[in-house]
């Protein structure tokens, strides 16, 4: 009976008529949809319910909306774009007089989602509580015309209900993720046999007994950790932080360089979750007082993703940070990293030299690893032997011979370089040039006919020359081996879906410290905030670069008393674009905002 009522609300001809009137599909497309609907529906039903693990809540019905979304049609209002599920629901929401909302998982409260209504009810009727404000419960649904369900929620919650429309796929995924994660954590918490709160490292000496602890292979803990990994990858997170506090454990994720608090976990399950992560990454589970490093490889939708794990003791226990090494991000075409045409040409000329040293500079999180790995893949051919020394190996790639630094067995950046030279390498990548021994061995490798790529932690490209001198490398060896230096940072990109232009006076930017030599108003861009970017106006990041060729004139200036300011001035005259100048170019091209330029290039000119 319920299915019949739903079929009537979402009757194919009625939905097609609405979408035609709204301008999303043409009459010809509507006829085509109605002709193919039965065949497409059968295929979708088999696929949808075949992929489901839990069939106890019944099958999920396939509607005409699913059929339209699956046909991959071109939009009538914008033929360059395809019709997807979100666009169908957006147009229908407008016709039904309900707001459409793209649910941002990072802004959801786990308790509101999972305690307001039962999972069975949420799954059966595809409704999801997403917020409570001023006594009003906001509920997302793909079928806002089902008023009986809304009335049931009002009766159960004893609150006013505000209805918003969201896509069915988002609602199903979030019900599974949030209820599954909550169930795993709650079950794990119930099995925990300890009394009181774990005070961790800061106050562990006043504890009389540790009490019982959950084993790391407890199936609830296993599921909870799997949810965290899956969730982080879906949200494009680069890092997961699990931080113990006095009474809770915080889970935060870094997305596009910004940390977001995702969950607050009961402190009782913190140790079990940390133990599970340490178990997966082959770390010592019994050791909680020393920092440890590990790694784990997981499969997500047929793609292998490596996660680098670091644990460290803090006041209230062990903090773990997991860096997600996505091969699609680490191994890119050099031209997609954000180089301007002249800079990519210069950088490619550096790395195609037969021997010498090329340095990539910048602080942690500036994208150096991505640049180096992408460069190595660009250079890799069957005729070339590439060997890397890394601490740790960030992403394993079978085309390279990768060596991990292991001080306990005598493998350091400096000591292993001597052995590498006996391995007949063509290109050597050193993770970091951090001391004189490493620098001297790198210079020796460059002077004996090898191309050496490495990183330095300096603010800009000219500073790398001073840094090498500070390490103790003689200036004449720098003159003989250095080819060029690349300095870089990352800026957030404006979301292409909600990008808009506006005008601004150059003087206004000048007052903020961003000098642009133009008299007329500037046409700049920003993101309004939309469902695709979670209202931030940004989606993804791109690099800004400073490429310094080590020319003959700069070589002559490199002495024991090198003047960094003079080198910087000369490099500018010879055509080097500074980090600030490159960021301004991307600002004027509409790739990023002036706020990002000011934040990332603060202190530069």
């Amino acid at each position: 009976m319920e299915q019949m009522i739903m079929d009537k609300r979402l009757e194919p001809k009625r939905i097609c008529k609405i979408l035609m009137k709204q301008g999303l599909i043409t009459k010809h497309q509507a006829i085509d949809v109605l002709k193919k609907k039965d065949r497409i529906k059968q295929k979708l039903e088999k696929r949808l319910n075949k992929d489901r693990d839990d069939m106890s809540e019944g099958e999920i019905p396939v509607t005409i909306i699913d059929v339209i979304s699956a046909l991959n049609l071109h939009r009538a209002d914008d033929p360059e774009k395809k019709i997807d599920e979100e666009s169908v629901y957006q147009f229908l929401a407008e016709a039904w007089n309900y707001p459409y909302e793209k649910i941002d998982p990072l802004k959801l409260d786990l308790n509101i989602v999972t305690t307001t209504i039962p999972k069975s009810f949420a799954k059966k009727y595809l409704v999801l509580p997403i917020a409570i404000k001023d006594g009003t419960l906001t509920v997302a649904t793909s079928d806002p015309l089902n008023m009986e369900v809304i009335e049931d929620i009002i009766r159960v919650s004893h609150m006013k209900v505000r209805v918003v429309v969201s896509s069915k796929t988002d609602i199903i995924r979030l019900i599974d993720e949030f209820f599954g994660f909550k169930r795993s954590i709650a079950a794990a918490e119930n099995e925990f046999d300890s009394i009181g709160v774990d005070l961790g490292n800061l106050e562990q000496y006043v504890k009389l007994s540790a009490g019982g602890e959950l084993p790391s292979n407890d199936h609830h803990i296993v599921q909870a950790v799997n949810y965290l990994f899956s969730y982080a990858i879906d949200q494009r997170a680069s890092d997961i932080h699990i931080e113990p506090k006095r009474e809770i454990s915080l889970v935060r994720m870094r997305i596009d360089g910004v940390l977001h608090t995702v969950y607050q976990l009961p402190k009782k399950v913190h140790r079990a979750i940390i133990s599970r992560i340490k178990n997966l990454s082959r770390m010592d589970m019994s050791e909680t007082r020393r920092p440890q490093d590990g790694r784990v490889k997981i499969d997500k939708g047929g793609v292998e993703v490596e996660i680098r794990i670091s644990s460290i003791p803090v006041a209230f226990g062990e903090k773990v940070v997991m860096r997600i090494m996505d091969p699609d991000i680490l191994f890119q075409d050099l031209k997609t990293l954000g180089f301007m045409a002249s800079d990519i040409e210069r950088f490619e000329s550096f790395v195609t030299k037969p021997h010498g040293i090329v340095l990539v500079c910048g602080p942690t999180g500036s994208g150096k690893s991505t640049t180096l790995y992408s460069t190595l893949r660009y250079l890799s051919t069957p005729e070339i032997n590439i060997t890397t020394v890394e601490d740790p190996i960030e992403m394993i790639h079978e085309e390279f011979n990768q060596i991990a630094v292991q001080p306990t067995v005598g493998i350091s950046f400096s000591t292993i370089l001597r052995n590498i030279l006996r391995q007949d390498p063509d290109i050597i990548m050193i993770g970091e040039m951090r001391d004189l021994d490493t620098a001297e061995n790198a210079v020796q490798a460059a002077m004996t006919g090898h191309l050496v790529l490495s990183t330095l932690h300096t603010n800009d490209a000219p500073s790398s020359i001073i840094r090498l001198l500070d390490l103790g490398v003689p200036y004449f060896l720098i003159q003989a081996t250095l080819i060029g230096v690349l300095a870089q940072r990352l800026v957030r990109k404006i979301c292409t879906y909600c990008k808009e232009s506006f005008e601004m006076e150059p003087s206004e930017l000048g007052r903020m410290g961003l000098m642009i030599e133009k008299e007329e108003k500037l046409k700049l861009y920003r993101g309004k905030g939309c469902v695709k970017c979670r209202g931030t106006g940004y989606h993804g990041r791109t690099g800004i670069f400073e490429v310094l060729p080590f020319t003959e004139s700069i070589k002559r200036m490199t002495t024991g008393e090198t003047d960094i300011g003079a080198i910087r001035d000369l490099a500018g005259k010879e055509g080097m674009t500074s980090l600030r100048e490159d960021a301004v170019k991307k600002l004027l091209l509409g790739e990023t905002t002036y706020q990002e330029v000011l934040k990332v290039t603060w202190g530069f000119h």
Side-chain angles (χ1 to χ4, degrees), residues 246-475:
R246 187 183 295 274
E247 296 178 355
I248 59 168
S249 181
L250 280 184
V251 178
R252 300 198 290 168
M253 294 183 185
R254 189 178 296 279
I255 301 168
D256 290 339
V258 178
L259 273 173
H260 301 264
T261 299
V262 177
Y263 297 122
Q264 290 187 7
L265 305 180
K267 186 66 180 292
K268 291 178 181 178
V269 302
H270 177 80
R271 280 197 182 186
I273 285 178
I274 298 300
S275 294
R276 171 61 181 168
I277 293 166
K278 289 167 83 172
N279 185 20
L280 285 172
S281 55
R282 298 181 182 177
M283 293 158 69
D284 185 350
M285 293 166 60
S286 63
E287 179 57 73
T288 61
R289 296 170 299 173
R290 285 190 303 110
Q292 294 188 67
D293 293 302
R295 63 193 312 118
V296 63
K297 182 175 282 190
I298 61 174
D299 183 284
K300 176 67 175 172
V303 177
E304 287 188 344
V305 176
E306 288 199 34
I307 299 179
R308 201 175 76 200
I309 297 167
S310 169
S311 73
I312 195 166
V314 293
F316 296 108
E318 269 189 293
K319 176 183 175 181
V320 163
V321 175
M322 294 171 279
R323 171 152 288 189
I324 299 169
M325 316 305 293
D326 188 336
D328 291 337
I329 293 173
L330 276 177
F331 297 102
Q332 297 185 46
D333 186 319
L334 285 176
K335 292 182 173 63
T336 65
L337 297 180
F339 284 100
M340 294 296 180
S342 58
D343 283 342
I344 187 68
E345 192 177 317
R346 281 183 171 185
F347 184 66
E348 286 179 349
S349 74
F350 294 172
V351 299
T352 50
K353 294 280 194 300
H355 55 84
I357 296 174
V358 177
L359 297 174
V360 178
C361 304
T364 301
S366 60
K368 298 190 299 296
S369 295
T370 297
T371 299
L372 281 174
Y373 275 125
S374 300
T375 301
L376 291 179
R377 195 175 73 165
Y378 166 76
L379 296 172
S380 179
T381 67
E383 296 81 31
I384 287 179
N385 176 15
I386 296 176
T387 303
T388 75
V389 192
E390 304 172 61
D391 182 20
I393 296 172
E394 298 204 21
M395 174 63 73
I396 294 169
H397 195 287
E398 61 184 23
E399 292 179 18
F400 316 147
N401 300 294
Q402 294 169 280
I403 301 165
V405 168
Q406 300 178 70
T408 53
V409 293
I411 299 177
S412 65
F413 282 121
S414 56
T415 58
I416 198 65
L417 277 172
R418 301 186 191 101
N419 303 92
I420 288 174
L421 292 177
R422 302 188 194 109
Q423 290 282 313
D424 187 31
D426 296 295
I427 298 172
I428 301 170
M429 192 270 274
I430 303 168
E432 185 184 344
M433 211 175 283
R434 58 177 62 158
D435 54 42
L436 178 58
D437 281 346
T438 307
E440 283 181 338
N441 282 290
V443 167
Q444 185 63 35
M447 293 186 73
T448 53
H450 305 89
L451 179 66
V452 179
L453 307 178
S454 189
T455 69
L456 271 180
H457 287 285
T458 62
N459 281 332
D460 58 11
S463 300
S464 61
I465 298 170
I466 303 299
R467 176 69 179 142
L468 289 174
L469 291 167
D470 288 343
L471 285 175
V473 181
Y475 70 87

